Amino acid sequence: MPELPEVEVTRRGIAPDLVGRRLASADFRVPALRYPLPHEERSQFVGRRLVSITRRGKYLLLDFGSGHLLIHLGMSGSLRLVPALTPPDKHDHVDLVFGRTALRLRDPRRFGAMRWIEGDPMQHPLMAVLGMEPLTADFTAAWLKAQLQGLKAPIKPTLMDGHRLVGVGNIYASESLFRARIDPRTPAGKISLQRLERLVPVIKATLTAAIEAGGSSLRDFIQSDGSSGYFQQQYFVYGRTGKPCRVCGRPIRELRQGQRATFHCPHCQR
Ligand SMILES: [Zn+2]
């Protein structure tokens, strides 16, 4: 599933080629993905110049001056730039054509979304519920401490709650807690400010490293078949059940929290 780093890498990959250019046509080959595609609203953005592409959580916002096209990649979506005349494959559901280049949305499972939003996009119900952006200066240990105050729920699923903090999916929660040496089962409200001061920079660094890893394979990501944008990173704990901890050599353990697998080293994480 595309996580925040993949969405940010996509944004950085497509923006230089598209911003400032006029949208010549919007080709919707299916009526709907997760929601109906904006067939009806097409006249509000076709023919207009793309002002900017920003990201909020895992949403991309294409600003056309008259409103925003909101894109979410869902479970299996990917965006890439292709020459406009490239024949679409079965799962290529949308082309936004800018001159000789098309921004092509492929989404085999069709859980993605493309919607037209008028007015301030941050007031839209899908945006208004989103939590803090982890890569901003506002995401601090003091802020997190206040958020976690009194919470008895374990820290790991709490970090993954997008209403509080966006973009920290399963991989990044597991890896960040390992690097900060915090047991994922620790009640969130019990973690000291001092330990959160270790955790917050580690979350930022983990996400930044993933974005940078994606950046190095970016040409492949946007030019090839769209399947190579997922980062082959060296994880400390994620997906390494039974394998030796890279720090202490003891086996990595797996447990269930909510419906999700959590990976941790009981020796290194307390
Ligand atoms: Zn260990």
Side-chain angles (χ1 to χ4, degrees):
M1 189 187 325
E3 295 287 346
L4 185 147
E6 285 86 355
V7 177
E8 179 60 21
V9 166
T10 298
R11 188 189 71 77
R12 293 180 187 187
I14 63 177
D17 285 31
L18 303 182
V19 170
R21 295 177 72 178
R22 198 171 293 281
L23 179 64
S25 67
D27 305 331
F28 301 126
R29 300 190 184 90
V30 290
L33 298 174
R34 182 172 181 176
Y35 307 104
L37 287 165
H39 294 263
E40 301 284 311
E41 297 98 325
R42 207 184 314 226
S43 64
Q44 297 183 56
F45 48 91
V46 171
R48 299 196 68 105
R49 217 171 270 285
L50 179 60
V51 177
S52 66
I53 306 179
T54 52
R55 179 190 57 74
R56 177 76 176 97
K58 294 202 283 181
Y59 293 94
L60 289 174
L61 288 157
L62 279 61
D63 181 0
F64 284 95
S66 51
H68 293 77
L69 259 188
L70 171 150
I71 302 176
H72 193 282
L73 298 176
M75 305 286 286
S76 61
S78 63
L79 285 168
R80 51 200 179 112
L81 299 173
V82 297
L85 299 174
T86 310
D89 284 342
K90 169 165 91 160
H91 300 299
D92 293 338
H93 303 308
V94 178
D95 277 0
L96 298 178
V97 181
F98 295 83
R100 277 179 290 184
T101 300
L103 178 64
R104 178 163 284 178
L105 174 63
R106 171 176 294 180
D107 188 1
R109 296 181 65 183
R110 298 204 199 179
F111 283 113
M114 186 176 288
R115 305 183 75 177
W116 179 248
I117 301 179
E118 288 173 44
D120 179 359
M122 296 308 154
Q123 303 299 319
H124 189 275
L126 288 173
M127 302 283 111
V129 296
L130 297 179
M132 173 69 81
E133 282 288 334
L135 295 176
T136 60
D138 291 339
F139 177 47
T140 62
W143 177 87
L144 187 56
K145 181 75 185 155
Q147 289 290 310
L148 303 183
Q149 204 64 50
L151 284 184
K152 295 189 177 76
I155 182 65
K156 195 232 177 191
T158 303
L159 284 180
M160 290 174 62
D161 177 358
H163 299 299
R164 213 174 257 116
L165 177 66
V166 298
V168 183
N170 203 12
I171 295 172
Y172 303 107
S174 290
E175 291 295 300
S176 298
L177 288 168
F178 176 83
R179 294 198 204 182
R181 304 177 66 107
I182 296 170
D183 188 309
R185 297 165 292 189
T186 312
K190 288 258 165 77
I191 302 176
S192 68
L193 181 61
Q194 196 181 12
R195 302 189 86 198
L196 295 179
E197 275 165 357
R198 215 157 62 207
L199 177 62
V200 165
V202 152
I203 290 173
K204 291 177 193 263
T206 304
L207 290 169
T208 302
I211 291 168
E212 281 164 6
S216 63
S217 62
L218 192 55
R219 298 323 298 178
D220 291 342
F221 184 76
I222 57 176
Q223 283 182 355
S224 71
D225 64 1
S227 62
S228 57
Y230 299 90
F231 314 137
Q232 303 301 312
Q233 289 198 90
Q234 263 228 337
Y235 296 129
F236 281 106
V237 289
Y238 185 80
R240 299 193 64 243
T241 311
K243 299 204 172 114
C245 172
R246 296 192 200 281
V247 173
C248 73
R250 292 174 174 84
I252 298 299
R253 296 266 180 79
E254 179 177 343
L255 55 90
R256 290 262 142 196
Q257 289 184 300
Q259 306 303 317
R260 312 299 298 275
T262 292
F263 305 92
H264 72 128
C265 173
H267 180 75
C268 293
Q269 294 173 260
R270 302 294 175 98

